[in-house]
Amino acid sequence: GTGQICTVVSSQAFIQEYSAAEVRGAVMGLFGTCGSLGQIVHVFIGGLLFSNWRMQGPFWWMGLMNLLVLLSALVLAKWLQPNAPDGSTQASVMLQEGHHT
């Protein structure tokens, strides 16, 4: 509902703000594609769990996915911690040096 709409709009604004102008359209397109595919795949998996396991299956699935997102965010936050005297992060140094992962 409303929470999902707020999340989509705010994440699109974040992506637009932090992507380079010359690739902004491509980044937004990829972001939208990944979001759409995620919705299709998770609805399918949730339906299978509901039909073949138990009624609470989709909720367990989303709980597991949210746990994975949390763990990924914690790892990313640790990786982006400032570790230089000027406050730059490991990721910003890698991007400045031309390393693209």
Side-chain angles (χ1 to χ4, degrees), residues 2 27 29-30 68 73:
T2 305
V27 171
L30 182 62
L68 290 176

Side-chain angles (χ1 to χ4, degrees), residues 33-61:
T33 300
C34 290
S36 298
L37 286 174
Q39 288 178 352
I40 292 168
V41 168
H42 289 294
V43 167
F44 178 75
I45 292 172
L48 288 176
L49 291 171
F50 182 89
S51 297
N52 298 316
W53 185 45
R54 55 173 37 175
M55 189 170 50
Q56 297 86 359
F59 299 100
W60 283 101
W61 175 251

Side-chain angles (χ1 to χ4, degrees), residues 61-74:
W61 175 251
M62 289 312 300
L64 177 64
M65 292 299 103
N66 285 327
L67 178 63
L68 290 176
V69 168
L70 172 66
L71 294 175
S72 299
L74 291 174

